[in-house]
Amino acid sequence: MVVKSELKLIKSLQQKKCRNEHGLFVVEGKKTVEEVVNSSMKVYKLFAVDPSDLEVNYNDVVKVSSKELSQMSSLKNPNGYLGVFHIPNKSNKILSDWTLVLDGVQDPGNLGTIIRLCDWFGISDIVCSLDTVDCYNAKVLQATMGSITRVNIQYLDLIEFLKATKIPVYGTFMNGVSVTTSKLPKKGIMIMGNEGKGVSGAVAKLCTDRLAIPQFGGVTTESLNVASATAILLHEIRR
Amino acid sequence: MVVKSELKLIKSLQQKKCRNEHGLFVVEGKKTVEEVVNSSMKVYKLFAVDPSDLEVNYNDVVKVSSKELSQMSSLKNPNGYLGVFHIPNKSNKILSDWTLVLDGVQDPGNLGTIIRLCDWFGISDIVCSLDTVDCYNAKVLQATMGSITRVNIQYLDLIEFLKATKIPVYGTFMNGVSVTTSKLPKKGIMIMGNEGKGVSGAVAKLCTDRLAIPQFGGVTTESLNVASATAILLHEIRR
């Protein structure tokens, strides 16, 4: 049983404003819920149609009906498990050698894929511009596959952040120098831009180096998807 | 004005069965419609709320109301332009040096991104297993951004196709040899597997070489998204 006010609260967490107000976010799906519970994230509440099936170190799982779950869920077809977690206090220290900076990435699937890529390549810090899509958006979380628990994500004023840094700042541009011929340093910042507009003008001015991914198709192909481009650049950083 | 039977036909093309029966597929959005019209694809019919705004070499654009468009569209918020095209006869010749083979890729967004990657890297041939998602699915087309017109995509029995080939067959596996230390030949086949299960058992047996993308994160990260992995492998082929 879930009381009406709680159903309403959880449903409201689909909006960024309400997530920030309550300091809570929602994760759905057995595997991702398990991964987040078993990480350093703090549980607010767990719901399951079949609690016995959930492999977690947490005893207080609330049994719910499929109808109740669908009233809380953001999915068309809820899949039996929903966890509500406290948004962690973000460390404002940068710990990794390379930091990935996102300047206005809008698509939740792209951000989710990029978080998963950082996890794979051992990049523990992402700094997002204030207009980048929220990392606790349901579609982002669905695409991260639990990587959200292992990557530190901050939302900052990029101009201030970049002005204060002393390490090289690499921006990615269509007309940059090929990443395969560039010698990348041990420590740096890599900036990926918005899906349609790329890196914004004011941020571009603060780049110390301009990179590009060499193209081999015809001239008509416009650009790589930002998540695909990030995959290649992080691979090159670690290569 | 669009007659009712035509609205019904176009709506039905959201299903693969109907696309194959009629030999037609649907593209939405100004930019993608323009790109497909101006390619070698044959137009069946074009619809627009504002035909004068469409930059195409085609005179017979049908003016429709927003209501009619939404009755044909697969999008929640149709964006003014819809084109119906003939599915081209696929060439069964392989023209490019490298062929990308997809073994059971299910997510339309992933297939769309992979088609766009092949276009970028000049890989003109994709061979899909019969259980790979249909490339004329609306969500695939939305993610390809027009690249569908420049890449030849065939659906074949992979076992027969791979048994008949004489060039090296590279499969991607978690426990393969690092792609950064492998010397890739000038001509070959690269196989990417299903999102959850990877390359299937029968196909794996026909691989002459097993590749992997080196990981740098903690051990808990399970795998790369198949489109991210494809980005890195095609980049390495062309590197």
Side-chain angles (χ1 to χ4, degrees):
Chain A
M1 247 298 282
V2 192
V3 295
K4 219 171 179 181
S5 61
E6 192 142 74
L7 285 180
K8 207 177 144 191
L9 165 70
I10 293 166
K11 188 87 187 168
S12 81
L13 299 176
Q14 290 176 25
Q15 292 166 268
K16 180 179 168 183
K17 197 186 72 185
C18 298
R19 286 195 295 272
N20 289 339
E21 194 182 311
H22 298 284
L24 298 171
F25 70 100
V26 174
V27 164
E28 299 199 54
K30 183 172 188 288
K31 211 170 149 186
T32 313
V33 167
E34 285 172 352
E35 218 171 330
V36 180
V37 177
N38 297 330
S39 77
S40 61
M41 299 268 183
K42 260 180 69 190
V43 177
Y44 172 77
K45 235 157 217 181
L46 287 188
F47 302 94
V49 174
D50 180 5
S52 66
D53 200 30
L54 209 52
E55 291 164 40
V56 289
N57 294 321
Y58 190 83
N59 294 321
D60 207 13
V61 184
V62 180
K63 187 173 164 63
V64 290
S65 67
S66 297
K67 196 188 157 194
E68 285 173 319
L69 192 72
S70 76
Q71 285 174 314
M72 295 187 264
S73 173
S74 68
L75 303 175
K76 257 191 192 168
N77 304 304
N79 42 28
Y81 310 89
L82 186 148
V84 185
F85 299 89
H86 293 276
I87 293 179
N89 293 322
K90 294 295 181 179
S91 154
N92 58 10
K93 275 191 193 143
I94 298 290
L95 297 172
S96 49
D97 47 356
W98 277 83
T99 300
L100 187 70
V101 167
L102 304 179
D103 183 13
V105 168
Q106 291 302 303
D107 182 83
N110 282 341
L111 178 57
T113 306
I114 289 171
I115 294 169
R116 198 169 156 195
L117 281 164
C118 285
D119 188 20
W120 176 273
F121 286 111
I123 307 282
S124 59
D125 293 287
I126 300 179
V127 171
C128 301
S129 65
L130 299 169
D131 62 345
T132 293
V133 59
D134 181 36
C135 65
Y136 296 109
N137 172 308
K139 286 185 192 158
V140 174
L141 293 170
Q142 225 180 314
T144 63
M145 307 285 282
S147 293
I148 190 89
T149 64
R150 294 180 292 270
V151 179
N152 185 44
I153 305 166
Q154 300 179 61
Y155 287 76
L156 299 175
D157 180 317
L158 288 193
I159 305 297
E160 278 178 32
F161 172 74
L162 293 172
K163 276 190 175 163
T165 191
K166 287 182 185 85
I167 58 178
V169 177
Y170 286 80
T172 50
F173 300 90
M174 290 298 283
N175 62 358
V177 177
S178 168
V179 64
T180 58
T181 54
S182 301
K183 197 169 152 37
L184 298 175
K186 289 225 165 120
K187 222 174 147 139
I189 287 168
M190 182 71 73
I191 306 177
M192 308 302 299
N194 167 274
E195 285 85 352
K197 293 176 278 182
V199 176
S200 62
V203 169
K205 278 188 195 150
L206 297 170
C207 293
T208 56
D209 295 88
R210 297 169 72 93
L211 288 181
I213 295 167
Q215 179 183 5
F216 293 86
V219 283
T220 41
T221 319
E222 267 180 61
S223 67
L224 281 176
N225 161 285
V226 63
S228 301
T230 305
I232 294 166
L233 288 162
L234 297 187
H235 172 72
E236 284 288 340
I237 283 175
R238 294 300 186 217
R239 205 175 188 280
Chain B
M1 248 300 282
V2 192
V3 296
K4 219 171 178 180
S5 62
E6 192 142 73
L7 284 180
K8 206 177 144 190
L9 165 71
I10 293 166
K11 188 86 187 168
S12 82
L13 299 176
Q14 290 177 25
Q15 292 166 267
K16 180 178 169 184
K17 197 185 73 184
C18 298
R19 286 195 294 272
N20 289 339
E21 194 181 311
H22 297 284
L24 297 172
F25 70 99
V26 174
V27 164
E28 298 200 55
K30 183 171 188 288
K31 210 169 150 187
T32 314
V33 166
E34 286 172 351
E35 218 170 331
V36 180
V37 177
N38 296 331
S39 77
S40 60
M41 299 266 182
K42 260 180 70 191
V43 177
Y44 171 77
K45 234 155 218 182
L46 286 190
F47 303 94
V49 174
D50 180 5
S52 66
D53 201 30
L54 210 51
E55 290 165 41
V56 291
N57 293 320
Y58 190 84
N59 293 322
D60 208 12
V61 183
V62 180
K63 186 174 166 62
V64 291
S65 67
S66 298
K67 197 187 158 195
E68 285 173 321
L69 192 72
S70 77
Q71 284 173 316
M72 296 188 264
S73 174
S74 68
L75 303 175
K76 258 193 192 166
N77 303 305
N79 43 28
Y81 309 89
L82 186 149
V84 186
F85 299 89
H86 294 275
I87 293 179
N89 293 321
K90 293 297 181 180
S91 154
N92 57 9
K93 277 191 194 143
I94 298 289
L95 297 173
S96 49
D97 47 357
W98 277 83
T99 300
L100 187 70
V101 167
L102 303 180
D103 184 12
V105 168
Q106 291 303 304
D107 181 82
N110 282 340
L111 178 57
T113 305
I114 289 171
I115 295 169
R116 198 170 156 193
L117 281 165
C118 285
D119 188 20
W120 177 273
F121 285 111
I123 307 282
S124 58
D125 292 287
I126 300 179
V127 171
C128 300
S129 64
L130 299 169
D131 62 345
T132 293
V133 59
D134 182 35
C135 66
Y136 295 109
N137 173 307
K139 284 183 195 160
V140 174
L141 293 171
Q142 225 180 315
T144 63
M145 307 285 283
S147 292
I148 190 88
T149 64
R150 293 180 290 270
V151 178
N152 185 44
I153 305 165
Q154 301 179 62
Y155 286 77
L156 299 175
D157 180 318
L158 287 193
I159 306 297
E160 279 179 29
F161 171 74
L162 293 172
K163 276 189 176 163
T165 191
K166 287 182 186 85
I167 57 177
V169 178
Y170 286 80
T172 49
F173 300 89
M174 289 298 283
N175 61 356
V177 177
S178 167
V179 64
T180 57
T181 54
S182 302
K183 198 171 151 37
L184 298 174
K186 288 225 166 121
K187 222 174 145 139
I189 287 169
M190 182 70 72
I191 306 178
M192 308 302 299
N194 167 275
E195 285 86 351
K197 292 176 280 184
V199 176
S200 62
V203 168
K205 277 187 196 152
L206 297 170
C207 293
T208 56
D209 294 89
R210 297 170 71 93
L211 288 181
I213 296 167
Q215 181 183 2
F216 293 86
V219 284
T220 39
T221 318
E222 268 182 60
S223 67
L224 281 175
N225 161 286
V226 63
S228 300
T230 304
I232 295 167
L233 288 161
L234 298 187
H235 173 72
E236 283 288 339
I237 283 176
R238 293 300 186 219
R239 205 176 187 279

